[in-house]
């Protein structure tokens, strides 16, 4: 059994986080305000363990199934910290070394930022141009040109 640890993030929007998980890793995440339990690699519900057990994990709002994370993985979760309004990544010790490393978190953070900008662009109905060069992505945003409307009397 692998114990779970939490990692502070600056993620605050569940829709953007779920889109970033999909885009960065191809993972389909579940979301529930009712809190989703995390399962270990053998399918055991870690929220049923005593909180004093190092293998315990409280339920999370966002869950990525262990079958998507990798071979012998545990579920990956994101739990909202009500005091900060940010999600904490809930990662097993095993996965922090093999499937969701510091580099993975950096990749997710970069994609979360990109998804946040795209969300605002869509909300404001702006045009955007995206240029990727290696790991660097440049987004250019501009308001859409208003259509000329000729009013006749």
């Amino acid at each position: 059994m692998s114990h779970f640890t939490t990692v502070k993030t600056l993620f605050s929007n569940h829709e953007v986080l779920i889109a970033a998980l999909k885009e960065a890793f191809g993972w389909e995440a579940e979301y529930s305000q009712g809190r989703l339990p995390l399962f270990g690699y053998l399918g055991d519900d870690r929220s049923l363990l005593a909180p004093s057990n190092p293998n315990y994990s409280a339920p999370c709002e966002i869950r990525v199934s262990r079958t998507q994370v990798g071979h012998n993985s545990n579920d990956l979760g994101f739990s909202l910290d009500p005091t900060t309004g940010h999600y904490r990544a809930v990662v097993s010790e095993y996965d922090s070394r093999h499937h969701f490393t510091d580099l993975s978190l950096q990749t997710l953070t970069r994609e979360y930022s990109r998804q946040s900008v795209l969300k605002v662009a869509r909300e404001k109905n702006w045009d955007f141009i995206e240029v990727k060069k290696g790991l660097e992505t440049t987004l250019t945003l501009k308001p859409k040109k208003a259509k000329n409307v000729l009013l006749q009397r």
Side-chain angles (χ1 to χ4, degrees):
M1 275 188 157
S2 185
H3 76 271
F4 285 87
T5 186
T6 60
V7 179
K8 291 180 181 178
T9 74
L10 295 177
F11 308 145
S12 58
N13 182 299
H14 73 273
E15 293 170 339
V16 173
L17 178 52
I18 289 170
L21 287 162
K22 174 71 173 168
E23 187 66 27
F25 307 112
W27 294 342
E28 297 286 343
E30 300 172 77
Y31 172 78
S32 173
Q33 291 179 335
R35 316 277 287 172
L36 301 163
L38 296 184
F39 293 91
Y41 73 100
L42 294 175
D44 51 315
D45 183 341
R46 296 294 177 89
S47 69
L48 298 178
L49 299 172
S52 60
N53 186 320
N55 298 310
Y56 169 81
S57 174
C60 297
E61 286 81 9
I62 297 172
R63 175 177 62 199
V64 177
S65 170
R66 64 192 182 283
T67 59
Q68 295 182 76
V69 177
H71 182 68
N72 288 335
S73 288
N74 302 278
D75 286 351
L76 170 68
F78 291 88
S79 180
L80 186 63
D81 181 342
T83 59
T84 65
H86 295 132
Y87 285 92
R88 290 172 290 183
V90 182
V91 186
S92 73
E93 179 185 31
Y94 173 81
D95 291 316
S96 69
R97 289 182 279 128
H98 298 281
H99 300 291
F100 196 75
T101 62
D102 289 342
L103 182 58
S104 303
L105 188 57
Q106 291 172 13
T107 300
L108 183 58
T109 301
R110 218 176 11 259
E111 185 58 36
Y112 182 90
S113 298
R114 178 181 166 274
Q115 291 292 331
S116 294
V117 169
L118 294 177
K119 182 179 186 296
V120 169
R122 284 192 286 283
E123 288 171 353
K124 294 187 176 286
N125 199 29
W126 286 357
D127 286 324
F128 59 89
I129 300 168
E130 184 173 15
V131 178
K132 291 185 178 186
K133 290 183 182 177
L135 291 177
E136 185 176 306
T137 301
T138 303
L139 290 169
T140 304
L141 306 173
K142 62 181 180 178
K144 288 186 178 184
K145 292 181 181 178
K147 294 181 181 179
N148 292 332
V149 178
L150 180 61
L151 297 176
Q152 294 181 345
R153 292 183 184 219

